[in-house]
């Protein structure tokens, strides 16, 4: 792939982030220009440290920019119950140095990378959307060189943080609303497919033989509480990468998505308005279903390419 697709990944590693980033970096089809970090699974400092540890382990020289240490308005609540205290329990990474860490913050770095790019850049947020909201509000001039936003987030149905809210959107609902209302092309890979993007026991068993990254993934998966080894591990963030590399695995709906902000029990709920009750223009393509076997094959092939 001579002209690899330029992307920026906004992330909060996070065990599922870790393997999604690996598959993107080693795919040969994506030009990962920048990684930006945001408070989500664990604190900003921890997710940034984890990002640097991953890049050192993968041997990839991708610049990293630190972003928001908390949601725009609401208090920060992490998901260390799912990823462990460090956010990436289960594997002993070498200590990273911070030569990849930029002095710019996430919004500044994304603005520079987007405006410098000779081709429109795809934003791939797989974390709360605080950085993306700050970018679009602070530097709206970037919109002209953004191809689309392909996010892991939201849910057309039930939640995994609140009854009706998915973690990335529920962590910062105001940021999510800013992004969905920004007028940019959006692809939403939510829980509807994240819950079905499962690595089953027979898949996990193959990982240790798949080289260093496979072994690392296997170790992290022992500690990952997004599902279970037995019932299947939910590869939420890989769903966004899978859309970039093999969109045919999805059944998509072009529709309207809005975000509840004031519900005392439903704040952070993404209303996927398939019947147009809200009377608003379409603003997103939503992944409504996934070919589970095709995902599993894609995922294992993606890890196998991490050499
Ligand atoms: O709801 C799943 C999302 O929350 C994923 O991005 C996972 O990494 C966690 O951040
Ligand atoms: Ca994530």
């Amino acid at each position: 792939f001579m002209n690899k697709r330029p992307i920026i990944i906004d992330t909060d590693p996070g065990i599922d982030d870790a393997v999604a980033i690996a598959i993107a970096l080693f795919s040969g089809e994506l030009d990962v220009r920048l990684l930006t970090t945001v408070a989500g699974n664990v604190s900003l400092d921890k997710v940034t440290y984890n990002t640097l540890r991953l890049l050192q382990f993968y041997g990839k020289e991708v610049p990293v920019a630190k972003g928001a240490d908390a949601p725009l308005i609401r208090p920060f609540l992490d998901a260390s119950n799912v990823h462990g205290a460090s956010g990436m329990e289960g594997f002993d990474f070498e200590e990273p140095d911070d030569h990849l860490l930029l002095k710019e913050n996430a919004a500044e770095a994304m603005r520079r990378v987007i405006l410098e790019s000779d081709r429109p850049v795809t934003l791939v947020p797989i974390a709360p959307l605080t950085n993306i909201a700050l970018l679009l509000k602070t530097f709206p001039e970037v919109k002209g060189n953004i191809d689309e936003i392909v996010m892991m987030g939201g849910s057309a149905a039930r939640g995994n943080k609140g009854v009706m809210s998915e973690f990335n959107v529920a962590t910062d609902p105001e940021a999510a609303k800013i992004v969905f209302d920004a007028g940019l092309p959006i692809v939403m890979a939510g829980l509807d497919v994240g819950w079905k993007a499962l690595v089953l026991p027979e898949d996990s068993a193959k990982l240790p033989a798949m080289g260093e990254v496979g072994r690392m993934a296997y170790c992290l998966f022992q500690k990952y509480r997004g599902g279970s080894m037995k019932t299947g591990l939910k590869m939420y963030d890989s769903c966004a990468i899978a859309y970039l590399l093999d969109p045919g695995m999805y059944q998509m709906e072009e529709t309207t998505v809005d975000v509840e902000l004031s519900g005392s029990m439903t704040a952070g709920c993404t209303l996927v308005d398939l019947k147009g009750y809200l009377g608003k223009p379409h603003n997103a393509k939503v992944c409504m279903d996934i070919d589970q076997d095709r995902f599993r094959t894609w995922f294992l092939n993606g890890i196998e390419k991490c050499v």
Side-chain angles (χ1 to χ4, degrees):
F1 279 78
M2 291 308 290
N3 58 346
K4 295 181 183 178
R5 179 174 184 172
I7 71 169
I8 294 171
I9 300 176
D10 189 68
T11 183
D12 61 339
I15 289 170
D16 63 319
D17 301 66
V19 292
I21 290 166
I23 293 173
L25 287 170
F26 289 95
S27 67
E29 299 178 42
L30 301 172
D31 179 3
V32 185
R33 299 264 174 93
L34 172 68
L35 290 178
T36 51
T37 58
V38 62
N41 283 317
V42 288
S43 71
L44 175 65
D45 286 345
K46 286 182 179 177
V47 300
T48 304
Y49 175 65
N50 289 340
T51 301
L52 293 171
R53 292 201 288 176
L54 288 170
L55 289 172
Q56 173 165 280
F57 182 74
Y58 298 150
K60 296 290 184 181
E61 290 292 296
V62 178
V64 177
K66 271 176 96 167
D69 64 2
L72 295 178
I73 295 172
R74 295 170 196 259
F76 171 58
L77 300 170
D78 75 17
S80 47
N81 59 311
V82 174
H83 301 269
S86 70
M88 233 163 49
E89 287 302 312
F91 187 80
D92 275 340
F93 294 90
E94 300 280 312
E95 272 306 296
D97 63 33
D98 55 7
H99 77 278
L100 290 174
L101 192 56
L102 298 171
K103 293 196 175 14
E104 300 157 297
N105 69 38
E108 291 164 334
M110 283 194 278
R111 175 185 183 274
R112 174 176 50 76
V113 168
I114 293 165
L115 294 184
E116 279 174 354
S117 178
D118 58 350
R119 291 176 55 196
V121 176
T122 300
L123 303 186
V124 187
I126 54 174
L129 290 158
T130 317
N131 289 343
I132 311 300
L134 288 168
L135 167 74
L136 297 178
K137 283 291 183 185
T138 313
F139 305 119
E141 64 273 22
V142 300
K143 291 185 180 180
N145 210 29
I146 291 173
D147 178 40
E148 62 183 347
I149 298 175
V150 179
M151 71 169 70
M152 189 282 138
S155 171
R158 303 180 70 77
N160 66 347
K161 172 86 178 178
V163 176
M164 300 304 287
S165 57
E166 176 277 327
F167 177 81
N168 288 338
V169 173
T171 298
D172 197 342
E174 285 74 17
K177 182 158 179 64
I178 287 169
V179 174
F180 278 105
D181 288 356
L184 287 168
I186 290 176
V187 173
M188 180 185 123
L191 296 180
D192 319 284
V193 294
W195 271 326
K196 295 181 177 178
L198 296 175
V199 169
L200 300 181
E202 57 265 39
D203 305 319
S204 293
K206 294 173 185 164
L207 291 172
M210 287 187 178
E212 289 238 70
V213 174
R215 262 193 304 282
M216 175 212 78
Y218 184 77
C219 292
L220 292 178
F221 286 174
Q222 309 302 316
K223 298 287 183 184
Y224 181 52
R225 295 293 169 265
S228 74
M229 265 296 184
K230 191 168 171 307
T231 58
L233 299 165
K234 299 165 190 170
M235 296 290 97
Y236 299 112
D237 291 334
S238 291
C239 288
I241 308 303
Y243 180 83
L244 298 172
L245 297 175
D246 185 10
M249 72 170 73
Y250 290 114
Q251 187 254 310
M252 307 296 297
E253 285 284 344
E254 173 92 41
T255 185
T256 298
V257 179
D258 204 339
V259 183
E260 174 59 59
L261 298 180
S262 52
S264 57
M265 293 183 280
T266 55
C269 169
T270 44
L271 291 107
V272 178
D273 184 18
L274 299 172
K275 296 205 179 338
Y277 293 126
L278 300 174
K280 294 186 164 187
H282 285 177
N283 61 342
K285 289 190 289 190
V286 178
C287 302
M288 295 304 292
D289 207 354
I290 187 172
D291 178 332
Q292 292 185 272
D293 288 341
R294 184 164 165 178
F295 174 83
R296 290 169 59 205
T297 304
W298 171 84
F299 180 84
L300 290 175
N301 289 341
I303 296 293
E304 236 168 7
K305 288 175 75 170
C306 295
V307 289

